[in-house]
């Protein structure tokens, strides 16, 4: 399974010079608010995605007085040890794998597959569709080799059509952009549709496991347009798109939704239930990744212990241990639920200034 053996961080927020030796099982980081626990998980996010789940840009991430941040890690992947490195400057970034420069952050992402639950992950259930698309695209990127390129082609065509809409171009010109966008969009949608039965099965299985008391779970997917063909949808909505100045139909508007028999509306779920449902979505994505690659991704949960009672904390931990993942969790204080993790377990205390001491 993929797991980070070591992590080094220089110049990320309060983390001036962090060195960690990690275990393949549970790695828990506890400490007071504001000491750097979330920044440790943020380093994992930056290494995996090139961006932080906390938003912002390099000016926010880089420690005051420095011109760059650096993250290095050794990772076990497909039975071999690899060395990853990321350097973020205020203008630009670079990444390396085993000492060799890689072309783009997408290449680095394939070497460090990570699923992270953080406060904004609640938006998977209660928020806008962009959050759900982000998880779907993470999964598609990791299981379908050509998805990344097809999505980039679609994004370029979308930007061109939007510019044409705002530029008051003729209908004849827009016909051409509609054809290009529809061709690219059909390519993206075909890949998503081919994987959707497996995605639905994986997410429903995980959702039922973590929230069985809510009854049967249903999954719905909206591809992002209403007409039979995307080209026709673009034609039908042209007047509205011209008025708005952007394209309202296509895979960039896709969405999916989970619902439960005893909580048919997302507003019916408590915060704790929303958290469990969101974690279930990540578990489902991780299961499908593992089916495809033969090993699961790394999991990280920021503030695992809030909003969940100990029985549900244990359910999450048991589910992830059964999946065989390396798990990173953070919290203000430890929880008795951690005792249910019977594999290797390491506990770290994070103090002011990002100083970290291994307790067990």
């Amino acid at each position: 399974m993929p797991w980070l053996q070591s992590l080094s961080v220089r110049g990320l927020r309060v983390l001036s010079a962090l060195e960690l030796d990690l275990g393949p099982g549970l790695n828990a980081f506890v400490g007071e608010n504001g000491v750097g626990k979330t920044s440790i998980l943020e380093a994992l996010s930056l290494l995996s995605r090139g961006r932080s789940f906390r938003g912002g840009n390099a000016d926010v991430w880089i420690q005051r007085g420095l011109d760059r941040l650096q993250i290095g890690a050794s990772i076990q992947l497909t039975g071999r040890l690899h060395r990853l490195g990321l350097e973020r400057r205020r203008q630009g970034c670079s990444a390396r794998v085993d000492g060799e420069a890689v072309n783009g952050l997408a290449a680095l992402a394939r070497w460090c597959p990570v699923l992270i639950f953080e406060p904004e992950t609640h938006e998977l259930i209660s928020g806008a569709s962009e959050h759900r698309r982000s998880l779907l695209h993470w999964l598609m990127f990791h299981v379908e080799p050509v998805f990344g390129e097809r999505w980039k082609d679609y994004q370029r065509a979308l930007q061109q059509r939007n510019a044409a809409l705002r530029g008051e171009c003729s209908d004849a010109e827009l016909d051409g952009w509609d054809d290009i966008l529809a061709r690219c969009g059909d390519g993206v949608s075909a890949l998503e549709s081919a994987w959707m039965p497996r995605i639905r099965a994986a997410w429903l299985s995980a959702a039922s496991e973590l929230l069985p008391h809510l009854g049967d779970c249903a999954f719905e997917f909206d591809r992002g347009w209403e007409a039979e063909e995307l080209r026709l949808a673009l034609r039908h909505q042209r007047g509205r798109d011209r008025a708005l100045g952007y394209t309202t139909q296509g895979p960039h508007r896709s969405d999916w939704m989970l619902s439960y028999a005893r909580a048919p509306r997302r507003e019916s779920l408590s915060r704790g239930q929303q958290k469990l449902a969101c974690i279930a979505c990540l578990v489902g994505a991780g299961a499908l990744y593992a089916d495809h690659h033969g090993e699961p991704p790394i999991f990280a949960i920021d503030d695992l212990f809030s909003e969940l009672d100990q029985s549900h904390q244990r359910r999450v931990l048991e589910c992830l241990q059964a999946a065989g993942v390396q798990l990173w969790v953070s919290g203000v204080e430890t929880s008795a639920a951690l005792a249910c993790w019977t594999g290797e377990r390491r506990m770290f205390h994070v103090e002011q200034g990002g100083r970290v001491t291994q307790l067990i």
Side-chain angles (χ1 to χ4, degrees), residues 128-180:
S129 59
E130 63 190 73
H131 301 283
R132 292 180 289 277
R133 272 194 304 277
S134 179
L135 178 58
L136 174 62
H137 288 178
W138 180 93
L139 180 56
M140 292 299 302
F141 172 81
H142 281 287
V143 300
E144 182 54 69
V146 300
F147 180 81
E149 287 303 316
R150 288 196 184 178
W151 179 249
K152 284 195 292 186
D153 290 343
Y154 177 77
Q155 285 288 304
R156 284 192 288 265
L158 179 64
Q159 290 172 2
Q160 294 288 348
R161 185 179 190 268
N162 287 344
L165 290 168
R166 293 189 292 270
E168 300 182 356
C169 67
S170 67
D171 282 343
E173 290 176 297
L174 268 178
D175 285 343
W177 287 118
D178 286 355
D179 291 344
I180 294 171

Side-chain angles (χ1 to χ4, degrees), residues 252-290:
H252 66 291
R253 308 283 288 187
S254 68
D255 198 4
W256 56 266
M257 185 62 64
L258 286 177
S259 62
Y260 291 86
R262 298 193 182 96
R265 295 171 56 85
R266 58 189 180 187
E267 295 84 358
S268 305
L269 297 173
S270 69
R271 286 284 292 180
Q273 289 171 331
Q274 284 188 33
K275 186 169 186 175
L276 284 172
C278 293
I279 292 174
C281 293
L282 300 186
V283 170
L288 195 51
Y289 176 100

Side-chain angles (χ1 to χ4, degrees), residues 75-116:
I75 185 170
Q76 281 281 351
L77 187 65
T78 62
R80 295 182 56 194
L81 186 65
H82 300 278
R83 184 71 188 174
L84 311 180
L86 174 72
E87 182 176 274
R88 267 281 187 182
R89 300 174 294 281
R90 297 193 185 277
Q91 297 293 331
C93 65
S94 59
R96 306 181 76 83
V97 175
D98 294 331
E100 300 291 331
V102 297
N103 184 23
L105 295 174
L108 183 63
R110 296 192 186 279
W111 291 90
C112 190
V114 178
L115 284 166
I116 298 179

Side-chain angles (χ1 to χ4, degrees), residues 13-70:
R13 298 189 192 268
V14 300
L15 304 179
S16 298
L18 175 69
E19 298 286 345
L20 287 176
D21 290 320
L22 302 150
L26 173 65
N27 297 272
F29 302 92
V30 297
E32 297 178 356
N33 290 323
V35 296
K37 304 184 303 297
T38 299
S39 295
I40 294 173
L41 272 59
E42 184 178 22
L44 184 60
S45 175
L46 284 164
L47 190 63
S48 173
R49 307 174 185 180
R51 65 182 189 277
S52 168
F53 58 76
R54 299 166 82 175
N57 55 33
D59 288 333
V60 177
W61 308 330
I62 297 173
Q63 199 171 87
R64 182 175 298 181
L66 301 179
D67 63 353
R68 69 193 64 193
L69 67 84
Q70 296 171 309

Side-chain angles (χ1 to χ4, degrees), residues 200-212 217 258 260 276-277 279-285 287 319:
R200 177 181 287 106
W203 282 350
L204 289 181
S205 175
S208 298
E209 181 177 358
L210 287 180
L211 286 160
C217 185
L258 286 177
Y260 291 86
L276 284 172
I279 292 174
C281 293
L282 300 186
V283 170
C319 177

Side-chain angles (χ1 to χ4, degrees), residues 153-154 157-158 161 174-190 225 229-235 247 249-251:
D153 290 343
Y154 177 77
L158 179 64
R161 185 179 190 268
L174 268 178
D175 285 343
W177 287 118
D178 286 355
D179 291 344
I180 294 171
L181 185 62
R183 183 171 63 252
C184 294
D186 287 341
V188 170
S189 185
W225 70 92
E229 298 180 11
L230 179 54
R231 184 178 288 102
L232 294 177
L234 295 171
R235 297 287 197 278
T247 302
Q249 303 279 293

